[in-house]
């Protein structure tokens, strides 16, 4: 046997052995590593065998040179007659003016009718992007439904909150942060919504909608994990770095008689990334 | 015997003998770089095989269930049926994890091979007339491949995939006038809607693969019909192809390559963990993993998002969101320009001739420069797409890194263009005027016993006398 032939034979033998071993591995449930390796050996054995066979054992027919097929029409006259055929057909159709116009109309109407099933694909946006599940009086709870009170948070810490009954809701998620009350620099009309240094903002980044995950207590900044937009918590969550264009909407809250936290209304602005209908 | 019957049968019905014979003898030019397209083709074949297997187990539903499988850390967690079924494929279906990981690796190799193939075709000018349509279909296939990858990546309903989807939703939302409606129709409502996973599933296993198969068939048919471009061997006429006949050598080699591709991909699928969704956890709308990177083919888009300035436009009570430019307009322009490149180049160079020869990159320095600059641009964007990881690795602030990257993004491509252009021009000039061969000098002993010198064998060589060739050995003689 010639050397390449021995190599190819060995490769095919490896393929056979590996494929059989794969049976055993499968029956015994040997796990992905063994299965992957044996599959690779079985397939690779066939591959190597074929490649060696083709490149080293097949007679090296000297490269052959063949004419390329013509890709252009043979003659100018041919093209001319093709153009004429098409145009003659168009003329024939156009001859019935009234009918051909009606046909265009019908096609257009059908196109419009196709919008009907498309319309079924989703509900109308309406004002759904302008509001969330927060209403005046809604109690702030954690993701497992535990009510949040004014003593839940130390200064410098933060927590994710939801309106009671809507735990886990995507558009209503908010971060509640406690800072030293005298540090907050909210405009007067917003200050009342942040009692005792407790301030709540929408948790949805105004850039592309990722949930904000990181609160840098030292600099009082919220940072988005997706593209690093950074918001200044003390200053109405103004974006101070990154691609986010707008501040995080604030959720106005109050401390009720029992020390629990409640919203006094919805967010100050639509939450999340900007959209056309937004001013 | 069987072959005989088959050929007879085809011939009687389709008048096909000459067709069969012609195509079996058809030659394919051989060059290692022609393998890249085949690589893409075979990884797609494996995608279909492994994907069919996976689709039999995947449950495309966001409905909640409690995980009770063997993976202890998640036991008792509320997860979606989709996530649950992917965990089942990974831990309970025998050989399921190999299939799943092989599928994911195949997807990465599919897109990577298409990209490499596109780069090869670009630099060798193989897209020129009459092959523009092949090129456009090729670019379409790349876009479809990325779409297939993205929809697949988003199906398991894990924390990481949810983040990617949310960004796409936000990008659609940013489109002027129709953005909100488009997002609601496409995603079935405000993100995350219950419609989403079933829709992604239909796109991933039906719509996009069907489009890919259609486009791929057209692509291959065109290559078969129009033949490959090639680096023409010396002495063969322009209107000809030189290479290995399809049957049997080329066929065997190609099938061998297919098996090698499968082998590497299944090996990766068994040995190299990819997308371990059990570590990311199920999707929760209020949490995002950090750091999070998408699959490599979306890295440059991610980079664009990270570096783009926070511009937003307000007018007449309406807003054009920040994402519209980097996530919709710029990628749109890039892919359109890429698809139209053959026409752009033909317009600029006023070249409307047919071309069947592949070019060496140096033959068109400007194109080579543009290509190299483009690659540099994408590499920088991909780096920007993982700026948080990179910053940690380099121990610099992300802000500093971003600043540097923004500058580099403008400077480096220009530099790369200039350098590539200059090198190519230099190489081309050298090809055109190769270093002159040293002149041949002949010495003849003359009647007086001295030597006459003549250049290039001309001159006295024609006359009588004994010519003594000036071989080096003669000269060195002491
Ligand atoms: S989504 Fe927050 S920075 Fe992009």
């Amino acid at each position: 046997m010639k050397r390449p032939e021995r190599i190819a034979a060995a490769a095919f033998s490896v393929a056979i052995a590996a494929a059989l071993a794969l049976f055993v591995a499968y029956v015994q449930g040997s796990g992905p590593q063994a299965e992957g390796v044996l599959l690779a050996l079985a397939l690779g054995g066939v591959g190597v065998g074929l490649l060696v066979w083709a490149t080293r054992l097949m007679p090296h027919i000297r490269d052959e040179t063949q004419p390329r097929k013509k890709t252009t029409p043979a003659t100018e006259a041919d093209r001319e007659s093709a153009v004429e055929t098409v145009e003659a057909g168009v003329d024939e159709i156009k001859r019935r003016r009234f009918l051909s116009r009606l046909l265009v109309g019908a096609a257009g109407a059908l196109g419009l009718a196709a919008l009907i099933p498309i319309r079924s694909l989703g509900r109308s946006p309406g004002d759904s992007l302008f509001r969330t599940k927060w209403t005046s009086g809604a109690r702030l709870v954690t993701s497992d439904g535990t009510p949040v009170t004014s003593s839940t948070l130390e200064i410098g810490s933060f927590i994710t909150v939801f309106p009671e009954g809507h735990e886990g809701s995507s558009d209503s998620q908010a971060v509640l942060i406690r800072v030293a009350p005298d540090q907050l620099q909210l405009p007067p009309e917003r200050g009342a919504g942040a009692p005792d240094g407790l301030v709540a903002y929408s948790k949805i980044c105004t850039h592309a909608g990722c949930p904000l995950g990181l609160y840098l207590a030292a600099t009082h900044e919220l940072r988005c994990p997706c593209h690093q937009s950074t918001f200044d918590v003390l200053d109405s969550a103004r974006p101070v770095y990154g691609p986010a264009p707008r501040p995080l909407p604030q959720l106005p809250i109050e401390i009720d008689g029992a020390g629990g936290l409640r919203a006094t209304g919805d967010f100050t602005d639509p939450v999340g990334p900007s959209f056309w209908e937004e001013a | 015997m069987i072959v005989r019957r088959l050929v007879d049968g085809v011939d009687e019905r389709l008048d096909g003998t000459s067709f069969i014979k012609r195509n079996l003898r058809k030659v394919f030019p051989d060059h290692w770089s022609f393998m890249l397209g085949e690589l893409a083709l075979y990884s797609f074949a494996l995608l279909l095989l492994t994907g069919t297997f996976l689709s039999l187990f995947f449950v495309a539903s966001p409905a909640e269930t409690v995980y009770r499988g063997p993976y202890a850390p998640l036991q008792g967690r509320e997860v979606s049926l989709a996530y649950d079924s992917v965990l089942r494929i990974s831990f309970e279906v025998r050989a399921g994890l190999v299939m799943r990981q092989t599928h994911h690796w195949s997807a990465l190799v599919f897109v990577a091979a298409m990209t490499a193939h596109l780069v090869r075709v670009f630099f060798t000018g193989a897209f020129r007339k009459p092959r523009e349509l092949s090129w456009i279909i090729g670019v379409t296939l790349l876009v479809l491949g990325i779409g297939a990858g993205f929809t697949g990546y988003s199906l398991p309903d894990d924390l990481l995939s949810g983040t990617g989807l949310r960004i796409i939703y936000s990008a659609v939302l940013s489109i002027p006038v129709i953005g909100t409606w488009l997002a609601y129709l496409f995603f079935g409502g405000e993100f995350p809607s219950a419609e989403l996973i079933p829709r992604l599933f239909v796109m991933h296993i039906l719509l996009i693969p069907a489009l890919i198969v259609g486009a791929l068939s057209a692509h291959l048919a065109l290559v078969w019909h129009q033949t490959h471009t090639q680096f023409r061997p010396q002495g063969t006429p322009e209107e000809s192809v030189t290479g290995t006949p399809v049957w049997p050598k080329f066929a065997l080699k190609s099938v061998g390559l297919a098996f090698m591709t499968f082998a590497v991909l299944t090996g990766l699928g068994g040995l190299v963990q990819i997308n371990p969704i059990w570590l990311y956890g199920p999707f929760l709308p209020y949490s995002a993993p950090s750091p999070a990177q998408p699959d490599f083919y979306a890295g440059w888009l991610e980079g664009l998002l990270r570096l783009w300035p926070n511009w937003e436009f307000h007018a007449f009570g309406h807003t054009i969101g920040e994402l519209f430019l980097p996530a919709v307009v710029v990628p749109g322009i890039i892919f359109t320009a890429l698809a139209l490149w053959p026409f752009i180049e033909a317009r600029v160079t006023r070249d409307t001739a047919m071309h069947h020869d592949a070019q060496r990159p140096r033959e068109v320095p400007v194109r080579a420069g543009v290509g190299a600059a483009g690659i540099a641009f994408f590499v920088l964007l991909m780096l920007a797409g993982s700026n948080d990881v990179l910053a940690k690795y380099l121990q610099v602030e992300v802000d500093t890194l971003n600043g540097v990257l923004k500058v580099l993004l403008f400077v480096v491509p220009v530099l790369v263009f200039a350098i590539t252009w200059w090198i190519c021009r230099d190489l081309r000039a050298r090809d055109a005027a190769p270093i002159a061969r040293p002149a041949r000098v002949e010495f003849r002993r003359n009647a007086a016993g001295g030597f006459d010198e003549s250049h290039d064998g001309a001159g006295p060589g024609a006359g009588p006398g004994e010519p003594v060739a000036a071989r080096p050995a003669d000269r060195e003689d002491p």
Side-chain angles (χ1 to χ4, degrees):
Chain A
M1 265 208 281
K2 283 195 280 182
R3 210 174 103 84
E5 196 171 354
R6 283 203 303 270
I7 298 176
F12 287 142
S13 311
V14 167
I16 295 173
L20 294 177
L22 191 60
F23 270 95
V24 181
Y26 183 86
V27 172
Q28 294 189 334
S30 319
Q33 286 84 2
E35 288 159 355
V37 168
L38 289 173
L39 263 172
L41 283 176
L43 293 162
V46 176
V48 169
L50 283 175
L51 285 176
V52 171
W53 192 348
T55 53
R56 309 272 302 278
L57 288 171
M58 298 222 158
H60 184 72
I61 321 166
R62 222 167 46 77
D63 275 350
E64 210 172 298
T65 303
Q66 288 178 351
R68 257 176 232 275
K69 263 179 276 175
K70 285 272 181 209
T71 51
T72 41
T75 63
E76 204 48 41
D78 276 349
R79 294 188 190 184
E80 208 45 57
S81 94
V83 170
E84 269 164 28
T85 315
V86 173
E87 282 179 348
V90 171
D91 288 345
E92 179 65 38
I93 293 170
K94 272 193 185 157
R95 217 159 54 85
R96 307 248 170 236
R97 265 245 179 114
F98 182 61
L99 274 188
S100 61
R101 283 192 184 163
L102 269 182
L103 179 63
V104 171
L110 269 175
L112 280 181
L115 290 178
I116 289 172
I118 291 178
R119 173 65 189 85
S120 303
L121 292 179
R123 58 194 189 80
S124 151
D127 66 345
S128 56
L129 286 175
F130 288 92
R131 53 183 172 74
T132 69
K133 313 229 161 45
W134 288 104
T135 49
S136 179
R139 209 202 292 240
L140 276 64
V141 298
T142 61
S143 60
D144 58 12
T146 319
V148 179
T149 66
S150 55
S151 55
T152 303
L153 286 181
E154 307 270 313
I155 287 181
S157 55
F158 86 115
I159 188 176
T160 303
V161 295
F162 298 92
E164 192 174 29
H166 299 284
E167 295 80 10
S169 153
S170 175
D171 64 351
S172 310
Q173 54 183 299
V175 275
L176 178 67
I177 303 157
R178 180 160 218 162
V179 297
D182 53 339
Q183 283 187 311
L184 269 181
Q185 301 152 9
L186 300 176
E189 72 276 12
R190 286 204 182 181
D196 260 1
L198 285 162
V199 61
Y201 295 108
S202 162
K203 197 182 173 179
I204 308 175
C205 184
T206 55
H207 177 228
C210 285
L212 298 156
L214 189 62
Y215 177 54
L216 310 162
T219 49
H220 308 284
E221 285 170 347
L222 275 168
R223 182 162 266 211
C224 178
C226 285
H227 318 104
Q228 296 107 25
S229 286
T230 309
F231 303 88
D232 183 351
V233 165
L234 300 181
D235 186 8
S236 304
R238 188 174 53 84
V240 288
Y241 182 76
R246 292 187 300 118
L248 300 169
Q250 188 187 339
L251 180 74
I253 54 176
E254 64 180 10
I255 303 174
D256 65 15
L261 298 185
R262 290 176 186 273
T264 58
D266 206 341
F267 288 105
T268 48
D269 289 294
V271 299
S274 309
F275 51 97
W276 177 250
E277 288 82 355
E278 201 174 345
Chain B
M1 188 61 207
I2 295 175
V3 175
R4 181 65 214 238
R5 280 223 212 128
L6 258 174
V7 170
D8 282 353
V10 173
D11 191 31
E12 281 163 20
R13 287 164 186 80
L14 299 173
D15 189 18
T17 319
S18 65
F19 173 80
I20 295 174
K21 199 174 145 208
R22 199 168 23 144
N23 280 321
L24 287 180
R25 299 303 307 163
K26 188 179 172 69
V27 299
F28 273 87
D30 240 346
H31 191 269
W32 65 266
S33 66
F34 291 8
M35 204 178 63
L36 297 167
E38 283 181 81
L39 201 61
L41 176 68
Y42 296 133
S43 28
F44 179 65
L46 194 58
L47 275 171
L48 289 182
L49 290 174
T50 48
T52 306
F53 180 86
L54 295 176
S55 71
L56 300 176
F57 297 97
F58 180 69
V59 181
S61 163
E64 290 287 321
T65 182
V66 175
Y67 181 68
R68 300 199 192 288
Y71 183 67
L74 287 174
Q75 274 162 7
R77 276 281 286 277
E78 283 217 346
V79 298
S80 66
L81 284 175
Y83 186 78
D84 184 66
S85 71
V86 179
L87 287 181
R88 192 163 89 84
I89 291 171
S90 305
F91 296 125
E92 290 164 79
V93 174
R94 203 162 272 193
L97 188 54
V98 173
M99 289 290 175
R100 212 193 115 221
Q101 297 194 136
T102 302
H103 191 70
H104 202 133
W105 277 113
S106 307
L108 297 186
V109 170
F110 178 48
V111 181
M114 280 198 288
T115 311
H117 178 57
L118 178 130
V119 167
R120 191 281 287 180
V121 169
F122 182 86
F123 278 100
T124 57
F127 53 81
R128 291 175 300 164
K129 192 176 175 184
R131 295 179 180 76
E132 303 98 328
L133 186 59
S134 274
W135 168 267
I136 293 179
I137 295 178
V139 173
T140 312
L141 277 167
L142 180 61
V143 175
L144 287 170
I146 292 175
F150 187 82
T151 48
Y153 173 85
S154 305
L155 281 176
D157 201 26
D158 59 294
L159 201 50
L160 202 52
S161 70
T163 307
L165 276 176
R166 164 152 240 152
I167 295 174
I168 296 282
Y169 165 81
S170 304
V172 178
L173 210 57
S174 73
I175 297 171
V177 187
I178 53 169
T180 4
W181 267 99
L182 220 54
Y184 270 56
L185 291 182
F186 191 80
F187 288 83
E190 194 176 349
F191 184 88
S193 89
E195 274 15 285
L196 196 49
I197 290 177
R199 280 190 194 178
L200 286 174
F201 188 54
V202 171
M203 287 178 53
H204 183 70
I205 72 158
L206 178 73
L207 290 178
I208 297 180
L211 289 174
I212 290 182
V213 169
L216 192 56
S217 310
H219 195 71
L220 291 177
L222 278 173
V223 170
W224 194 278
H225 181 74
Q226 295 184 320
T227 68
H228 277 76
T229 55
Q230 76 178 124
F231 299 109
R232 187 149 43 87
Q234 266 186 343
T236 60
E238 165 131 36
E239 283 294 320
S240 71
V241 199
T242 302
T244 322
V246 168
W247 186 255
K249 196 168 175 176
F250 181 82
L252 242 62
K253 258 166 77 174
S254 192
V255 176
L257 179 65
F259 274 91
M260 291 312 289
T261 314
F262 295 168
V264 171
L265 292 173
T266 48
L268 283 171
L271 295 178
V272 190
Q273 175 169 295
I274 188 163
N275 203 19
I277 57 151
W278 51 91
L279 298 183
Y280 308 149
F283 173 69
L284 288 174
Y286 51 90
S287 109
S290 174
Q293 256 73 51
D295 275 348
F296 84 91
Y297 45 80
W300 62 277
L301 288 164
E302 176 82 5
L304 260 179
L305 290 192
R306 291 188 186 200
L307 292 189
W308 201 264
N310 57 348
W311 295 334
E312 191 164 275
F313 308 100
H314 306 270
F316 309 111
H318 289 290
T319 301
I320 297 179
E322 195 272 351
L323 285 173
F324 182 56
L325 290 178
V328 182
V329 174
V330 174
I333 291 177
I334 286 178
F335 278 114
T336 312
L338 193 61
L340 295 182
W341 179 265
F343 304 102
I344 298 174
E345 190 184 297
R347 173 69 69 84
V348 172
T349 58
R350 302 232 174 76
D351 178 1
T352 53
M354 294 278 186
H355 296 285
H356 295 295
D357 291 344
Q359 293 171 304
R360 299 171 81 188
R362 66 184 64 172
E363 289 175 51
V364 193
V366 174
R367 183 207 291 145
V370 170
I375 292 174
F377 181 75
F378 281 109
V379 168
L380 282 170
L381 279 182
M382 283 179 81
L383 289 181
S386 53
N387 58 2
D388 41 356
V389 180
L390 204 61
K392 202 177 267 174
Y393 183 72
L394 297 174
Q395 304 197 335
V396 293
E397 281 292 309
V398 177
D399 316 9
T400 324
L401 183 66
N402 275 359
V404 173
L405 281 171
K406 279 181 194 175
V407 174
L408 291 184
L409 205 54
F410 287 98
V411 176
V412 172
V414 175
L415 277 180
V416 169
F417 173 85
I419 293 171
T420 315
W421 178 79
W422 183 75
I423 291 178
C424 285
R425 255 178 44 118
D426 197 50
L427 288 173
R428 187 176 64 174
R430 255 187 245 178
D431 284 354
I435 299 169
R437 266 195 328 176
R440 221 161 77 110
V441 180
E442 254 179 41
F443 294 96
R444 273 163 196 277
R445 175 164 271 173
N446 58 24
F451 289 94
D452 285 339
E453 202 178 301
S454 77
H455 293 272
D456 258 342
E466 217 172 309
V468 180
R471 290 195 300 270
D474 293 345
R475 250 182 285 154
E476 301 293 322
D477 224 343

